[in-house]
Amino acid sequence: KAKEKGRNQYLLCSSEMKEEVNRQNQLTNHLYRALEKGELIVNYQPQVCLSTGRVTGVESLLRWQHPELGLISPAVIIPLAEKTSLINPIGEWVLETACRQNKAWQVMGMEPILMAVNISASQLKNPNLISQIEGILKRTGLSPAYLEVEITESTAILELGEIIGKLNSLKELGVSIAIDDFGTEYSSLSRLKMLPLDRLKMDKQFVDGIGFNHKDQSIANAIIQLGKSLGLAVVAEGVEKEKQVAFLRTSQCDLIQGYYYYKPLDALEIEKILRRQG
Ligand code: C2E
Ligand code: MG
Ligand code: MG
Ligand code: MG
């Protein structure tokens, strides 16, 4: 009887799995065409300098405007793209779009800001990444001083030595490097020591606890002091509340990225913000 039940469970599981696989395949097929159909979009979330109150950078964030399913999050797109060969063309498209946009704001006469672009593990693994970025900077005319790459879980599939080599090549180009989601999973202290970093982005989870959780608050403060004493600029992610801003200011965090100031916005809205601040 148990065996029968086991088999039914297996069958049920199997058909559900099939359905899920079909759904994923369909989405993947759509994603293939999304790029050429212009359904992928990049939004930009401002980073506010705490000491001046000015927007000094933005992070580019990918979205997919699906004709039937609506707006699809990068949390769905990126893993899907990772499983196929799509991550490279999509990643390259995001990089180029973001760099071209940043250059366009400069050409309009805005004060130059930093453009941060997320790079996934398999992008970092791509042997063409450095020449890809070099080509994009050349084509768009953006100075490398205004491009930053954000790395996260890369060491899960890459050797540390390989990552360091890649990042050093990027630094030689003049591009800066941020460690994203710091304090979670693979972004550890040993990584902080080994990697040629310019910025540390403290994960939202520690910001969330400010004002509520003593431990999170102590960790947030410690991360900021650690980053600063290593000579890194510290960015707090996911800041939503005034209380958090006040704490981060006291802790002398450098930059704030979060809904408290701005959500991810389209290029035109960023342009307005930059114009306003003159
Ligand atoms: P991330 O790089 O850590 O980006 C920050 C995420 O936090 C973004 O989510 C942003 O919208 C969200 N966020 C910012 N401030 C707040 C806040 O105050 N409250 C809340 N609740 N959320 C906030 P998003 O856009 O959904 O992106 C999720 C992740 O997807 C990113 O995390 C990044 O790892 C990845 N991703 C996004 N775009 C790209 C891309 O072009 N390439 C790659 N490889 N990954 C990307
Ligand atoms: Mg990021
Ligand atoms: Mg992050
Ligand atoms: Mg994240």
mmCIF file of all heavy atoms in Angstrom, residues 103-121:
data_model
loop_
_atom_site.group_PDB
_atom_site.id
_atom_site.type_symbol
_atom_site.label_atom_id
_atom_site.label_comp_id
_atom_site.label_asym_id
_atom_site.label_seq_id
_atom_site.Cartn_x
_atom_site.Cartn_y
_atom_site.Cartn_z
ATOM 1 N N LYS A 103 25.892 58.067 -20.580
ATOM 2 C CA LYS A 103 26.554 59.025 -21.477
ATOM 3 C C LYS A 103 25.546 60.073 -21.973
ATOM 4 O O LYS A 103 25.860 61.268 -22.042
ATOM 5 C CB LYS A 103 27.191 58.274 -22.664
ATOM 6 C CG LYS A 103 27.858 59.165 -23.688
ATOM 7 C CD LYS A 103 29.102 59.831 -23.136
ATOM 8 C CE LYS A 103 29.717 60.769 -24.167
ATOM 9 N NZ LYS A 103 30.958 61.381 -23.655
ATOM 10 N N ALA A 104 24.330 59.633 -22.286
ATOM 11 C CA ALA A 104 23.302 60.557 -22.790
ATOM 12 C C ALA A 104 23.011 61.656 -21.769
ATOM 13 O O ALA A 104 22.891 62.834 -22.139
ATOM 14 C CB ALA A 104 22.021 59.798 -23.133
ATOM 15 N N TRP A 105 22.920 61.290 -20.475
ATOM 16 C CA TRP A 105 22.688 62.317 -19.448
ATOM 17 C C TRP A 105 23.839 63.320 -19.423
ATOM 18 O O TRP A 105 23.628 64.513 -19.262
ATOM 19 C CB TRP A 105 22.515 61.677 -18.064
ATOM 20 C CG TRP A 105 21.221 60.931 -17.903
ATOM 21 C CD1 TRP A 105 20.002 61.286 -18.399
ATOM 22 C CD2 TRP A 105 21.024 59.699 -17.186
ATOM 23 N NE1 TRP A 105 19.057 60.344 -18.038
ATOM 24 C CE2 TRP A 105 19.653 59.366 -17.292
ATOM 25 C CE3 TRP A 105 21.871 58.842 -16.464
ATOM 26 C CZ2 TRP A 105 19.113 58.221 -16.705
ATOM 27 C CZ3 TRP A 105 21.325 57.707 -15.876
ATOM 28 C CH2 TRP A 105 19.967 57.394 -16.001
ATOM 29 N N GLN A 106 25.056 62.816 -19.597
ATOM 30 C CA GLN A 106 26.215 63.718 -19.599
ATOM 31 C C GLN A 106 26.160 64.665 -20.790
ATOM 32 O O GLN A 106 26.447 65.859 -20.653
ATOM 33 C CB GLN A 106 27.519 62.907 -19.612
ATOM 34 C CG GLN A 106 27.732 62.122 -18.319
ATOM 35 C CD GLN A 106 28.998 61.268 -18.340
ATOM 36 O OE1 GLN A 106 29.813 61.360 -19.249
ATOM 37 N NE2 GLN A 106 29.146 60.435 -17.325
ATOM 38 N N VAL A 107 25.774 64.116 -21.947
ATOM 39 C CA VAL A 107 25.685 64.941 -23.150
ATOM 40 C C VAL A 107 24.622 66.028 -22.981
ATOM 41 O O VAL A 107 24.758 67.144 -23.482
ATOM 42 C CB VAL A 107 25.414 64.051 -24.406
ATOM 43 C CG1 VAL A 107 25.048 64.896 -25.623
ATOM 44 C CG2 VAL A 107 26.626 63.174 -24.699
ATOM 45 N N MET A 108 23.555 65.713 -22.210
ATOM 46 C CA MET A 108 22.509 66.717 -21.927
ATOM 47 C C MET A 108 23.003 67.809 -20.987
ATOM 48 O O MET A 108 22.270 68.765 -20.726
ATOM 49 C CB MET A 108 21.305 66.041 -21.250
ATOM 50 C CG MET A 108 20.489 65.155 -22.143
ATOM 51 S SD MET A 108 19.219 64.346 -21.136
ATOM 52 C CE MET A 108 18.861 62.940 -22.183
ATOM 53 N N GLY A 109 24.189 67.600 -20.427
ATOM 54 C CA GLY A 109 24.749 68.624 -19.552
ATOM 55 C C GLY A 109 24.568 68.367 -18.062
ATOM 56 O O GLY A 109 24.840 69.237 -17.242
ATOM 57 N N MET A 110 24.090 67.175 -17.717
ATOM 58 C CA MET A 110 23.939 66.831 -16.293
ATOM 59 C C MET A 110 25.309 66.590 -15.673
ATOM 60 O O MET A 110 26.235 66.144 -16.350
ATOM 61 C CB MET A 110 23.132 65.544 -16.119
ATOM 62 C CG MET A 110 21.900 65.449 -16.947
ATOM 63 S SD MET A 110 20.734 66.704 -16.454
ATOM 64 C CE MET A 110 19.495 66.420 -17.694
ATOM 65 N N GLU A 111 25.370 66.820 -14.380
ATOM 66 C CA GLU A 111 26.610 66.472 -13.684
ATOM 67 C C GLU A 111 26.782 64.950 -13.736
ATOM 68 O O GLU A 111 25.838 64.209 -13.455
ATOM 69 C CB GLU A 111 26.539 66.940 -12.234
ATOM 70 C CG GLU A 111 27.873 66.814 -11.553
ATOM 71 C CD GLU A 111 27.916 67.548 -10.243
ATOM 72 O OE1 GLU A 111 27.347 68.654 -10.160
ATOM 73 O OE2 GLU A 111 28.509 67.005 -9.313
ATOM 74 N N PRO A 112 27.976 64.478 -14.111
ATOM 75 C CA PRO A 112 28.172 63.031 -14.276
ATOM 76 C C PRO A 112 27.870 62.236 -12.998
ATOM 77 O O PRO A 112 28.201 62.670 -11.901
ATOM 78 C CB PRO A 112 29.658 62.922 -14.624
ATOM 79 C CG PRO A 112 30.016 64.234 -15.210
ATOM 80 C CD PRO A 112 29.172 65.240 -14.478
ATOM 81 N N ILE A 113 27.203 61.106 -13.178
ATOM 82 C CA ILE A 113 26.935 60.211 -12.043
ATOM 83 C C ILE A 113 27.479 58.820 -12.365
ATOM 84 O O ILE A 113 27.799 58.516 -13.514
ATOM 85 C CB ILE A 113 25.417 60.113 -11.735
ATOM 86 C CG1 ILE A 113 24.636 59.593 -12.952
ATOM 87 C CG2 ILE A 113 24.868 61.469 -11.268
ATOM 88 C CD1 ILE A 113 23.195 59.212 -12.635
ATOM 89 N N LEU A 114 27.573 58.010 -11.316
ATOM 90 C CA LEU A 114 28.066 56.644 -11.482
ATOM 91 C C LEU A 114 26.927 55.720 -11.898
ATOM 92 O O LEU A 114 25.832 55.814 -11.352
ATOM 93 C CB LEU A 114 28.649 56.182 -10.137
ATOM 94 C CG LEU A 114 29.481 54.899 -10.146
ATOM 95 C CD1 LEU A 114 30.780 55.099 -10.912
ATOM 96 C CD2 LEU A 114 29.763 54.459 -8.708
ATOM 97 N N MET A 115 27.181 54.842 -12.851
ATOM 98 C CA MET A 115 26.199 53.833 -13.267
ATOM 99 C C MET A 115 26.650 52.473 -12.755
ATOM 100 O O MET A 115 27.706 51.978 -13.136
ATOM 101 C CB MET A 115 26.109 53.796 -14.793
ATOM 102 C CG MET A 115 25.224 52.708 -15.360
ATOM 103 S SD MET A 115 23.486 52.818 -14.900
ATOM 104 C CE MET A 115 22.945 54.242 -15.855
ATOM 105 N N ALA A 116 25.862 51.891 -11.855
ATOM 106 C CA ALA A 116 26.186 50.562 -11.332
ATOM 107 C C ALA A 116 25.390 49.507 -12.086
ATOM 108 O O ALA A 116 24.180 49.654 -12.273
ATOM 109 C CB ALA A 116 25.874 50.501 -9.842
ATOM 110 N N VAL A 117 26.086 48.466 -12.547
ATOM 111 C CA VAL A 117 25.441 47.390 -13.298
ATOM 112 C C VAL A 117 25.728 46.047 -12.612
ATOM 113 O O VAL A 117 26.881 45.750 -12.290
ATOM 114 C CB VAL A 117 25.933 47.355 -14.767
ATOM 115 C CG1 VAL A 117 25.246 46.239 -15.545
ATOM 116 C CG2 VAL A 117 25.707 48.692 -15.459
ATOM 117 N N ASN A 118 24.679 45.274 -12.378
ATOM 118 C CA ASN A 118 24.847 43.948 -11.770
ATOM 119 C C ASN A 118 25.423 42.960 -12.777
ATOM 120 O O ASN A 118 24.976 42.893 -13.917
ATOM 121 C CB ASN A 118 23.498 43.413 -11.283
ATOM 122 C CG ASN A 118 22.941 44.223 -10.150
ATOM 123 O OD1 ASN A 118 23.416 44.139 -9.017
ATOM 124 N ND2 ASN A 118 21.932 45.047 -10.445
ATOM 125 N N ILE A 119 26.394 42.189 -12.315
ATOM 126 C CA ILE A 119 27.020 41.175 -13.164
ATOM 127 C C ILE A 119 26.845 39.831 -12.463
ATOM 128 O O ILE A 119 27.251 39.679 -11.307
ATOM 129 C CB ILE A 119 28.531 41.455 -13.318
ATOM 130 C CG1 ILE A 119 28.779 42.828 -13.949
ATOM 131 C CG2 ILE A 119 29.232 40.354 -14.090
ATOM 132 C CD1 ILE A 119 28.584 42.876 -15.431
ATOM 133 N N SER A 120 26.246 38.873 -13.140
ATOM 134 C CA SER A 120 26.029 37.567 -12.519
ATOM 135 C C SER A 120 27.271 36.698 -12.642
ATOM 136 O O SER A 120 28.202 37.006 -13.390
ATOM 137 C CB SER A 120 24.834 36.873 -13.151
ATOM 138 O OG SER A 120 25.199 36.408 -14.418
ATOM 139 N N ALA A 121 27.248 35.593 -11.902
ATOM 140 C CA ALA A 121 28.391 34.685 -11.886
ATOM 141 C C ALA A 121 28.784 34.198 -13.283
ATOM 142 O O ALA A 121 29.957 34.195 -13.634
ATOM 143 C CB ALA A 121 28.083 33.497 -10.985
#
